[in-house]
Amino acid sequence: MSEPQDDQPRTVLLRNGEVHSPADPFATAMVVERGGIAWVGSEGAADSFADGVDEVIDLEGALVTPAFTDAHVHTTATGLALTGLDLTGSRDLAEALGRVREYARSRPGDRVLIGHGWDASAWPGQRPPSRAELDEAAGGRPLYLTRADVHSAVVSTALLELVPGLTGLPGYAADAPLTGDAHHAVRARAYDGLGPAQRAEAQRAALDRAAALGIGSVHECAGPRISGEEDLTGLLRLAAERPGPRVVGYWAEAITSPEEAAKVRELGAIGAAGDLFVDGSLGSHTACLHQPYADAPDSTGTAHLDAATVAAHVTACTEAGIQAGFHAIGDAAVSTVIEGVRAAAEKLGLARVRAARHRVEHAELLTGEHIAAFAELALTASVQPAFDAAWGGEDGMYARRLGVERARALNPYAALLRAGVPLALGSDSPVTPLDPWGTVRAAAFHRTPAHRISVRAAFTAHTRGGWRAIGRDDAGVLVPGAPADYAVWRAGDLVVQVPDTRVANWSTDPRSGTPGLPDLTPGAQLPVCVRTVVAGRTVHRAD
């Protein structure tokens, strides 16, 4: 459990460990002062600092790294999955319905029951629950259950009856998962049913879990079609009032004017970005594709925005000095984003658009031309390697949706890095769990070998990459002058892992001075977080 420890930043000397720092690849000690990194160096030099600090921490050989940044999180939904109805891992429909019944009995006072994580593609028969089955399991109460990808949901009759006009909205189906506008309408109504205490409880649980995993910052991807203004402002207020991970807010609403940009700022968001949907997801057959789905040949998915809307949004954001960004998974959706951003660059000038560091979330199905355009336009790719770990491979959901050959093109991290495209790693929690070392492992051991990147590159994208994605180049790394956001780990031997032994072999030689990282080979035990510090304050300490 995460337990805030310090009210004020203290001057601390950490020594007798392994400090992961480009300032000194052999560092064993670090001094933190006034919320920042003051010094990094060797054990011998640490003696000169010992008498002038408030506290000396003997690391006993532990590893110190920059705290992770999860660049795509839905905090309240994550907390609800942690504290409530989580259907992740249900082996079949019967088990999922059993979990619903048990949860409904345990929460008699909740006005709306909210759950997450079912995935019928992994069940025998591949059938989602029917409305009648949900009505029975929920005891006639309003029930909202998102699919694992959060782009479709099944709901009970009692919740449907709370949304006037729902049956006329795009994406409504009489007895099938809801998508599109119909899904967004029931999601808004379900979240409206959360009481303030229930929402705050979920947010605290999510932030505490993040801190316990060595995550020092999360990028909250909020929006009117996701969680609502009250949810975002409440989360930002909560994060400001208690020690814990930093929360950076994004608001996913298309804008065209300075007044609309001002509203984004008033909400506390740093950009009109995140899950501003250009399309949906592959699992729900709503990602927008140039060619039809292999298992739904009459469908190419759903397009929510066109290139003109993208261009207007990017133009307004750039002129207002805030980030723009979009959710785009399918190749057709990515093409739409690129066309729109290019149009904005033609109007405002390429240098001005590049300087804004606009973002694309997910960016899964990419061509070589897409990757070159990302580099040209300086778009940050905010990506989730755990998607490949969960759904990649020749027998996975991606292959069923697209066919094996087309699915091999998904999530090409190595090609993005070779082109110079900035990467920021995240989880899209609760779509996949908060799990930073697991995320780094998934990028380094991608199911498609050609897309693998080194552990070091993935680690950098999950630490410094998240800071660069918000325009901060001075953070996410343990060097003097950087914010003191760091984590302490129990880990095994430190190694340098690269995707191919023929590549960068020099970096595995200790004489190269390349700092090592934990062995993330699949099956190896992941590091355990014993302390997380944000701005010099301890926000998690293991029991």
Side-chain angles (χ1 to χ4, degrees):
M1 167 176 187
S2 192
E3 181 182 347
Q5 302 291 333
D6 300 330
D7 293 328
Q8 297 297 328
R10 296 163 58 83
T11 302
V12 178
L13 168 64
L14 298 93
R15 63 185 307 177
N16 189 29
E18 300 279 353
V19 179
H20 186 88
S21 172
D24 183 346
F26 304 108
T28 61
M30 181 172 77
V31 173
V32 173
E33 185 175 26
R34 291 192 294 274
I37 307 298
W39 173 83
V40 174
S42 66
E43 188 62 29
D47 289 336
S48 63
F49 293 97
D51 293 335
V53 299
D54 298 318
E55 182 182 6
V56 177
I57 296 176
D58 184 349
L59 294 168
E60 299 179 348
L63 171 67
V64 183
T65 72
F68 287 100
T69 292
D70 193 312
H72 192 121
V73 172
H74 303 285
T75 306
T76 302
T78 296
L80 290 171
L82 290 170
T83 62
L85 178 51
D86 186 2
L87 302 180
T88 304
S90 297
R91 290 165 294 185
D92 53 33
L93 175 59
E95 181 179 342
L97 291 171
R99 292 191 192 184
V100 174
R101 290 187 195 96
E102 182 179 352
Y103 183 74
R105 285 194 296 267
S106 71
R107 307 283 293 205
D110 289 358
R111 292 176 290 181
V112 177
L113 302 172
I114 296 178
H116 165 75
W118 62 270
D119 184 0
S121 70
W123 294 344
Q126 301 189 358
R127 178 178 73 80
S130 69
R131 196 151 295 147
E133 288 168 332
L134 296 174
D135 291 345
E136 181 275 327
R141 296 160 67 189
L143 171 68
Y144 169 75
L145 298 178
T146 49
R147 190 187 179 279
D149 58 12
V150 196
H151 283 273
S152 60
V154 291
V155 301
S156 66
T157 302
L159 182 57
L160 290 179
E161 291 172 347
L162 297 176
V163 187
L166 180 68
T167 58
L169 293 178
Y172 174 80
D175 198 18
L178 305 181
T179 62
D181 291 346
H183 175 215
H184 299 144
V186 296
R187 173 161 54 193
R189 184 63 186 84
Y191 274 78
D192 285 346
L194 289 175
Q198 190 178 358
R199 179 181 288 112
E201 174 195 18
Q203 293 171 347
R204 283 192 295 268
L207 294 178
D208 286 348
R209 173 63 66 88
L213 293 169
I215 297 170
S217 299
V218 299
H219 296 181
E220 165 66 16
C221 292
R225 304 177 80 180
I226 301 165
S227 52
E229 295 180 12
E230 183 180 350
D231 188 83
L232 174 61
T233 56
L235 171 63
L236 295 176
R237 186 167 55 250
L238 177 73
E241 291 172 350
R242 67 193 294 268
R246 303 173 191 262
V247 178
V248 177
Y250 284 97
W251 183 249
E253 187 168 16
I255 68 171
T256 58
S257 69
E259 293 76 20
E260 291 170 329
K263 175 193 171 183
V264 173
R265 286 199 179 93
E266 288 167 6
L267 291 172
I270 71 164
D275 276 334
L276 179 51
F277 297 118
V278 180
D279 68 345
S281 74
L282 291 166
S284 292
H285 291 99
T286 52
C288 193
L289 308 176
H290 284 304
Q291 301 297 324
Y293 283 86
D295 60 351
D298 295 330
S299 174
T300 56
T302 305
H304 295 298
L305 300 179
D306 60 19
T309 304
V310 170
H313 180 70
V314 172
T315 299
C317 288
T318 305
E319 291 178 331
I322 62 176
Q323 279 182 299
F326 305 91
H327 163 119
I329 287 179
D331 51 359
V334 174
S335 294
T336 296
V337 170
I338 290 170
E339 182 182 348
V341 177
R342 274 221 176 99
E346 290 171 2
K347 179 178 180 178
L348 300 175
L350 178 60
R352 193 172 176 189
V353 168
R354 284 176 57 88
R357 303 192 189 189
H358 301 307
R359 298 172 53 141
V360 181
E361 309 299 316
H362 315 308
E364 291 200 80
L365 187 55
L366 304 176
T367 65
E369 290 78 10
H370 289 150
I371 293 169
F374 271 49
E376 173 198 356
L377 299 167
L379 296 173
T380 294
S382 172
V383 298
Q384 297 74 40
F387 287 8
D388 174 73
W391 302 309
E394 297 194 356
D395 298 323
M397 181 270 289
Y398 285 158
R400 291 195 293 274
R401 293 291 184 267
L402 300 179
V404 171
E405 197 60 39
R406 194 161 40 148
R408 289 194 184 113
L410 288 164
N411 303 302
Y413 304 139
L416 286 163
L417 283 182
R418 283 196 300 269
V421 176
L423 293 185
L425 303 193
S427 62
D428 199 7
S429 181
V431 175
T432 60
L434 299 169
D435 180 14
W437 285 114
T439 296
V440 173
R441 171 187 278 172
F445 294 92
H446 197 295
R447 289 178 180 271
T448 303
H451 299 333
R452 293 173 180 171
I453 59 179
S454 70
V455 167
R456 184 184 180 193
F459 177 80
T460 299
H462 212 353
T463 50
R464 198 170 193 180
W467 284 94
R468 286 174 166 167
I470 63 171
R472 290 282 302 273
D473 294 331
D474 61 336
V477 62
L478 301 182
V479 298
D485 288 25
Y486 63 91
V488 181
W489 308 90
R490 286 199 303 269
D493 293 338
L494 304 184
V495 297
V496 176
Q497 289 178 292
V498 293
D500 189 324
T501 56
R502 297 169 299 175
V503 178
N505 271 335
W506 64 270
S507 68
T508 66
D509 188 321
R511 292 171 297 178
S512 72
T514 303
L517 285 165
D519 181 0
L520 301 184
T521 303
Q525 183 176 352
L526 294 176
V528 175
C529 183
V530 296
R531 183 188 293 254
T532 305
V533 175
V534 174
R537 294 179 172 88
T538 298
V539 301
H540 166 77
R541 183 178 297 157
D543 294 336

